Amino acid sequence: MRVGMFLNYAGGFREAAEEVARLEASGIDLVAVPEAYSFDAVSQLGFLAARTERMTLMSGILQLYTRTPTLTAMTAAGLDFVSDGRFELGIGASGPQVIEGFHGVKYDAPLGRTREIIDVCRMTWRREPVVHEGRNYTIPLPAGEGTGLGKPLKLINHPVRERIPITVASLGQKSVEQTAEIADGWLPMFYHPERAGDVWGAALAAGAAKRDAALAPLDVFASPALAITEDPQLEAMALAAAKPQLALYVGGMGARGKNFYNDLIASYGFETEAALIQDLYLDGRKQEAVAAVPDELVRAISLIGPASYVAERVAAFAESGVTTLAVTPLARDSAERLALMAGFRRLVG
C-alpha cells in the first residue's frame, strides 16, 4: 500500500517544502497538493519537484472548470517534465459554491466534462493533433463561434510519458462508475471502509465491467486524518481536531437538499446527525455544528488511536480495496508531523 500525505503549509511554504524533502527521506511515497479556493496547486508542485527526487507529486485536486482541457493536459505534462515522470493528475468537479462563487463559472455537466477532459488529456500527451467534438468542448473552435482561423495543433514538446496517471475525485453513483471505467485512480472523500461497499460497490463493479483491459487496476485512495497515540487525552484531542472539517463539508459545502458530502454521511447511517450538523451550520451556529459531529463517525473514517488500533484500521481500509492512504496528519508542528508520518510508514510496512 502506498503511503502519502496532503500538504500542510500553515507554517510557510518554504518550510513545508523542506518538510516534504524529509518525508521523502523517511519513505513516504506521495504528497498531494490541494487546490480549493486557496493558492494554486501548480506553482507549489513545480517547487516541490525541484526539492524532491523520488516521491510522487499529485494535484489534489485541479477543478474541471477552471482550466481548458488542453491547458490541463499541458500543465500535467509540464509537471511530469519538471519532476522526471513523478506527477499524477488529480481532477474533480469541486462544487457550485467554489466554481460559481469563487470562479464565476457555471457549474454544469460534471460527468460529461470529466470524460471529455480525460480524452483530450490523453490525446494531447500522445502528441496527436487535438480534435475533439463533444457536448461540452469543441476543439478547434468552429468558424461560426470564432474567427475561423483555428486549426488542429499538437503539443510541441515530447512528454516524459504519454500516459500520466489520472485520479478523479468523485462521490455520486454515476461519477464513481465512470471513474472506475476510465480513470487510473479514484479519490473519494470521507471514506468509510465498512460502508464503502454498500455505498459504491455496485457503481465500482459496473464501471470495472466496461474498463479498458489496457488500464491497470483502479488505484483506490482514502484520505483519513491520522494521529497515533497511546494517551487517551491526546486521542480525544485528535478526534476533536478532525471534526471542524467534517462540519464544514457536511454542514456548509452546499445548500439544504444539494450537498454531496451531507448525502454521503447520511448514506453511512448518520442521517439524523448529518441533518443536525447542516441545520446548525447553515444557521450560523458553527461551533455547535462541530460539537454535533459524532465520535463514532470520526473514528470510522480516520486513523486515530493507539498504534495497535491504527494497524487494525489500516487493515480494514486495505481489505475494503484501498491501495493508497494519503493521510492528513494531526500534529502541532513539523517535527511532530515528521515523526508521526515516519511511524505510520513503519506501521503500514
Side-chain angles (χ1 to χ4, degrees):
M1 180 181 288
R2 291 196 302 176
V3 171
M5 186 189 86
F6 274 84
L7 184 69
N8 181 309
Y9 51 94
F13 184 71
R14 289 186 181 276
E15 293 84 354
E18 293 291 341
E19 182 178 314
V20 168
R22 291 195 288 272
L23 285 167
E24 181 180 59
S26 71
I28 302 305
D29 302 305
L30 174 147
V31 65
V33 179
E35 183 184 81
Y37 42 100
S38 56
F39 295 135
D40 77 289
V42 177
S43 57
Q44 298 170 63
L45 286 160
F47 191 98
L48 292 174
R51 304 299 294 270
T52 56
E53 297 178 354
R54 177 193 59 81
M55 71 179 354
T56 296
L57 304 174
M58 176 179 166
S59 55
I61 57 168
L62 303 186
Q63 301 100 333
L64 302 179
Y65 301 90
T66 55
R67 298 169 175 87
T68 65
T70 38
L71 178 57
T72 299
M74 292 165 62
T75 299
L79 287 169
D80 207 45
F81 171 63
V82 298
S83 66
D84 295 322
R86 293 184 288 121
F87 178 65
E88 290 188 12
L89 174 62
I91 59 173
S94 187
Q97 278 195 326
V98 173
I99 300 305
E100 297 184 357
F102 191 66
H103 295 285
V105 177
K106 185 179 180 181
Y107 187 91
D108 65 350
L111 200 65
R113 288 182 186 278
T114 299
R115 184 181 288 272
E116 291 185 47
I117 287 170
I118 290 175
D119 286 346
V120 171
C121 280
R122 289 173 174 164
M123 182 188 305
T124 304
W125 299 333
R126 293 192 298 265
R127 296 193 71 245
E128 297 173 2
V130 179
V131 178
H132 176 84
E133 293 185 14
R135 181 172 297 180
N136 303 288
Y137 304 101
T138 301
I139 308 170
L141 194 66
E145 297 181 27
T147 64
L149 299 177
K151 63 179 182 179
L153 299 172
K154 65 181 181 181
L155 190 69
I156 293 173
N157 312 84
H158 288 260
V160 175
R161 295 178 290 176
E162 71 170 31
R163 200 58 179 262
I164 298 168
I166 301 174
T167 291
V168 177
S170 56
L171 292 177
Q173 296 299 311
K174 290 183 178 180
S175 58
V176 170
E177 179 179 337
Q178 179 174 271
T179 299
E181 178 190 351
I182 65 174
D184 299 284
W186 172 45
L187 176 62
M189 199 165 187
F190 303 137
Y191 185 94
H192 187 324
E194 285 77 19
R195 300 288 175 84
D198 295 334
V199 175
W200 293 304
L204 289 168
K210 297 179 285 185
R211 189 173 179 84
D212 188 335
L215 287 173
L218 188 69
D219 187 10
V220 178
F221 283 70
S223 51
L226 172 69
I228 304 173
T229 177
E230 310 297 322
D231 185 332
Q233 185 175 359
L234 292 178
E235 181 180 342
M237 292 172 62
L239 289 169
K243 292 183 178 183
Q245 185 197 39
L246 268 162
L248 169 63
Y249 278 81
V250 175
M253 283 294 189
R256 289 182 178 88
K258 194 171 182 63
N259 181 318
F260 311 129
Y261 311 102
N262 191 284
D263 293 343
L264 174 63
I265 298 306
S267 73
Y268 286 161
F270 295 91
E271 297 97 334
T272 302
E273 294 86 349
L276 175 60
I277 292 165
Q278 185 177 63
D279 286 342
L280 291 169
Y281 204 98
L282 295 180
D283 288 344
R285 299 155 67 184
K286 295 181 181 180
Q287 292 306 313
E288 292 178 64
V290 172
V293 176
D295 285 355
E296 179 188 357
L297 172 60
V298 179
R299 288 188 186 281
I301 65 173
S302 303
L303 295 170
I304 297 175
S308 59
Y309 174 77
V310 171
E312 291 176 4
R313 296 305 295 157
V314 168
F317 277 91
E319 186 177 352
S320 74
V322 171
T323 50
T324 297
L325 281 170
V327 301
T328 299
L330 302 176
R332 290 168 292 189
D333 54 35
S334 177
E336 191 173 286
R337 194 159 43 247
L338 285 163
L340 175 59
M341 290 301 297
F344 184 57
R345 172 74 275 182
R346 292 192 296 270
L347 184 150
V348 174

